[in-house]
Amino acid sequence: MFQLDVRSRKPIYEQLVDKIKELIINQILKPDEQLPSVRVLSSQLTVNPNTIQRAYRELEQQGYIYSIKGKGNFVSKINIVSNEQKLTELKIDIQKLIAEAIYLGLTKEDLYEIYEKAHPNKKSGSASFSPDKHKTQMK
Amino acid sequence: MFQLDVRSRKPIYEQLVDKIKELIINQILKPDEQLPSVRVLSSQLTVNPNTIQRAYRELEQQGYIYSIKGKGNFVSKINIVSNEQKLTELKIDIQKLIAEAIYLGLTKEDLYEIYEKAHPNKKSGSASFSPDKHKTQMK
Amino acid sequence: MFQLDVRSRKPIYEQLVDKIKELIINQILKPDEQLPSVRVLSSQLTVNPNTIQRAYRELEQQGYIYSIKGKGNFVSKINIVSNEQKLTELKIDIQKLIAEAIYLGLTKEDLYEIYEKAHPNKKSGSASFSPDKHKTQMK
Amino acid sequence: MFQLDVRSRKPIYEQLVDKIKELIINQILKPDEQLPSVRVLSSQLTVNPNTIQRAYRELEQQGYIYSIKGKGNFVSKINIVSNEQKLTELKIDIQKLIAEAIYLGLTKEDLYEIYEKAHPNKKSGSASFSPDKHKTQMK
DNA sequence: GTGGTCTAGACCACC
DNA sequence: GTGGTCTAGACCACC
């Protein structure tokens, strides 16, 4: 389970969105895997259910998860639709940050290093909702 | 002159900070160059002077500009002091974005291209306080 | 509750920052303790809410308090991050004042005495948001 | 000659006051020694004469210098009058700063070290209006 | 209810 | 003229 920082300037629902997005991107959460229910996650994180709800709604709008009434929320397969547009936007954001970082001394080597570290599955798989679950699935 | 998006979730003062920071980073605004006065920019952008004031204060606290009472606001020379810490934070942000972009299809070549474009003075000098003036002077 | 000097050269928001910082430093305000809300303090001190807001923002930027949107402002645990730099600056200021004081007759013994008095909790707990309350609770 | 920082938040006249005060305190400027005339200092520092004037007026009010019409401005002998009161005020300021520094990690040893460095004449006599003058007086 | 942003407009300090 | 502070009051986001 992941950490939330109640003191952060970033609203809790947004922190949740980012964390879950990260888990999906790093393929710790696999396509069609079920997310914890709003109630469960709410009590696990001691966060208002409305806040979880809002995070899930946001993730759905962004295409990272889909919701089936009465069943739950699930990780989307890669969403091909708006991919291109999103990537284009991301590239712009990345360029801005890199420009600022160059101004502050970033080198090409630094960037290469960052790129290497940014690859999924090479990370120490720190965050996960329920590592035990995986064992269960192996039965 | 640059555009502000009044409807954006991002506060106006923050948009201003980002835009001006960009102009400084891309060296369109040179060190010791004077920024438009609070009042002038305020009426140019039809934004309350207090909001401009706040943006300038923020930029000063971040070390991008300095203010002389009774004279005006000016672009700082690069601020070496707390650069390192800032750069470290930036690197983390960049890594996150790159990870997300890789998920959406970013290649190493894309990143190289972005890095090249991120260099100052190679950009299409889009934003400026008074672009027309420069053109006029070239006649 | 503390006094503000409206006639002072020192801006009200800065007086507020200094006073609250003092309360935190002397541990009259404890870590994670909630500060009075912007509106409450505003009406208590008959000062505009914006001015209180600004003081709180300043304290947050300096790392003395943290703010949770929709909940309130709270005293930070000690901020280890940029402590060192701040301390270095402080030392310079202290040295200047001591030099001036030596000129006016300050002795080593005086300084020792000051040092002893500067320790938290040994002070006559003068300033507090609600001193009466505490006394009442002791009955 | 000393440095002024036009970029500082501190008004120029105040910087002047502090610098000259420091020279007097450290006895680089001796009692009854004549200060440079407003005009001379004004052109030396490329600062508006009004600003110099204001600094001198301030120093006079604080008792550090005295002015003789038609002759110039001179360093006061130690001003016994308000000494005690000033020292008391200074002690309060020092105590506040020390309290803050303790909060940030200042030790007794640090303070001892600061005290040693604060002694006059042990400093590398950096600032002076006109070191040449002293040589002249030796004739 | 809580913090955060913004406007309109006044007044002060500095140069 | 320039930046800086402050008030009065509105409206939004978060919880």
Side-chain angles (χ1 to χ4, degrees), chain D residues 112-131:
Chain D
Y112 183 74
E113 202 179 309
I114 289 168
Y115 176 77
E116 289 303 313
K117 283 198 283 190
H119 268 102
N121 292 331
K122 301 196 175 178
K123 307 183 71 176
S124 55
S126 56
S128 171
F129 285 118
S130 50

Side-chain angles (χ1 to χ4, degrees), chain D residues 74-92:
Chain D
F74 302 85
V75 177
S76 295
K77 290 188 182 53
I78 240 183
N79 51 330
I80 317 167
V81 190
S82 56
N83 255 11
E84 203 139 343
Q85 198 197 336
K86 253 191 210 163
L87 183 54
T88 308
E89 287 165 11
L90 257 181
K91 281 179 177 175
I92 293 168

Side-chain angles (χ1 to χ4, degrees), chain A residues 6-9 11, chain C residues 32 60 66 68 77:
Chain A
V6 277
R7 299 182 195 182
S8 164
R9 297 212 71 84
Chain C
D32 291 322
E60 193 185 12
Y66 59 92
I68 304 181
K77 290 187 183 51

Side-chain angles (χ1 to χ4, degrees), chain B residues 22-30 33 121 125-128:
Chain B
E22 209 181 301
L23 294 179
I24 293 173
I25 287 168
N26 291 321
Q27 297 174 20
I28 293 163
L29 290 173
K30 316 286 189 195
E33 187 172 336
N121 292 329
S126 55
S128 170

Side-chain angles (χ1 to χ4, degrees), chain B residues 11-13 39 46-48 50-51 54 69-70:
Chain B
I12 292 174
Y13 84 90
R39 284 164 176 76
T46 56
V47 158
N48 191 287
N50 277 327
T51 305
R54 174 152 187 201
K69 219 175 180 171

